[in-house]
Amino acid sequence: AQKITQTQPGMFVQEKEAVTLDCTYDTSDPSYGLFWYKQPSSGEMIFLIYQGSYDQQNATEGRYSLNFQKARKSANLVISASQLGDSAMYFCAMREGTGGGNKLTFGTGTQLKVEL
Amino acid sequence: DAGVIQSPRHEVTEMGQEVTLRCKPISGHDYLFWYRQTMMRGLELLIYFNNNVPIDDSGMPEDRFSAKMPNASFSTLKIQPSEPRDSAVYFCASSQPGLNEKLFFGSGTQLSVL
């Protein structure tokens, strides 16, 4: 079974609008972490946001927020006020347990295109 | 800090040749990871080290792949002999648990095996 599922291979959004990128996860470990990374066409992996399984509040980082629904095992990324520079591939990832130095399992990614 | 440094950025080689990819993690990070990215398989973990010791190499595809970390500031991933199906982007990443809870990635090495 897939540990991280991203069901949207591609998404389009108009500039200045908000967009939600979906991510569901599967783990039986009570302690885990969820991450989102951005990969622009230049190829580097850029950390965006982190949510711990015990965190009471949804994580936010500037225009990025993580809609964490623990019972549904979902960790959707919300980007507000989209910009052209947000066009990129977005990966959801999970760390299980507290060891492993943040060994991450990645989803297949969602290609986001921001249009004028 | 300069971040995670990988070399070379691009490597083109012929089938059967030995390929060595290099990585310098961020100073002070105890963990080092090697990931491979392909269109078919996405991002997959090959191996990771803690304090220079390999902890989990279950993702290494076969015996042609080997990785070493002789000291805290240097790691190599070697493919011998290389095959066309090894063509991919290879990322090195490092982390220090408890410090912002994230992996820091290098720029990757684009490997093409002809």
Side-chain angles (χ1 to χ4, degrees):
Chain A
Q2 292 289 330
K3 286 184 176 291
I4 294 285
T5 302
Q6 295 181 255
T7 58
Q8 306 154 312
M11 289 279 286
F12 290 88
V13 66
Q14 288 211 316
E15 196 181 21
K16 300 179 185 177
E17 292 188 349
V19 62
T20 297
L21 306 183
D22 294 342
C23 173
T24 58
Y25 59 92
D26 182 26
T27 182
S28 57
D29 200 313
S31 177
Y32 54 90
L34 298 157
F35 301 75
W36 279 90
Y37 279 82
K38 172 185 178 182
Q39 187 177 41
S41 57
S42 51
E44 70 267 32
M45 295 289 285
I46 302 168
F47 167 79
L48 295 178
I49 197 167
Y50 165 79
Q51 179 86 42
S53 59
Y54 295 119
D55 293 344
Q56 295 296 311
Q57 293 189 322
N58 287 345
T60 60
E61 291 282 352
R63 293 186 299 111
Y64 304 108
S65 60
L66 200 151
N67 184 1
F68 181 44
Q69 309 226 352
K70 198 167 182 177
R72 295 184 178 183
K73 293 190 174 179
S74 74
N76 298 340
L77 176 70
V78 181
I79 306 174
S80 63
S82 298
Q83 302 172 356
L84 295 178
D86 294 334
S87 295
M89 187 72 124
Y90 289 80
F91 292 96
C92 180
M94 177 174 64
R95 167 190 47 79
E96 293 178 276
T98 55
N102 291 335
K103 180 179 74 169
L104 299 184
T105 302
F106 286 84
T108 51
T110 294
Q111 183 72 50
L112 176 65
K113 174 74 173 173
V114 181
E115 301 173 317
L116 289 169
Chain B
D1 201 321
V4 177
I5 300 172
Q6 290 187 249
S7 65
R9 284 298 308 272
H10 303 275
E11 176 80 31
V12 180
T13 190
E14 292 190 345
M15 183 173 64
Q17 296 297 306
E18 177 179 293
V19 174
T20 299
L21 312 181
R22 297 172 175 80
C23 175
K24 176 180 168 55
I26 293 173
S27 177
H29 281 192
D30 291 342
Y31 286 85
L32 184 140
F33 303 80
W34 283 100
Y35 280 86
R36 178 172 69 174
Q37 185 178 30
T38 61
M39 288 294 293
M40 290 297 294
R41 301 173 70 90
L43 273 156
E44 50 183 346
L45 178 66
L46 300 178
I47 185 171
Y48 79 96
F49 297 82
N50 179 26
N51 291 321
N52 314 337
V53 176
I55 303 300
D56 183 356
D57 65 354
S58 59
M60 295 285 261
E62 49 199 273
D63 291 345
R64 298 185 297 106
F65 286 69
S66 63
K68 294 182 180 180
M69 193 165 185
N71 57 62
S73 59
F74 184 65
S75 176
T76 60
L77 178 67
K78 186 175 293 187
I79 308 172
Q80 166 63 21
S82 58
E83 296 182 4
R85 60 191 167 126
D86 301 330
S87 297
V89 179
Y90 291 81
F91 284 103
C92 176
S94 70
S95 76
Q96 180 68 305
L99 184 68
N100 296 328
E101 294 277 359
K102 64 187 179 186
L103 287 187
F104 294 79
F105 280 82
S107 299
T109 294
Q110 174 76 61
L111 173 65
S112 298
V113 183
L114 306 177

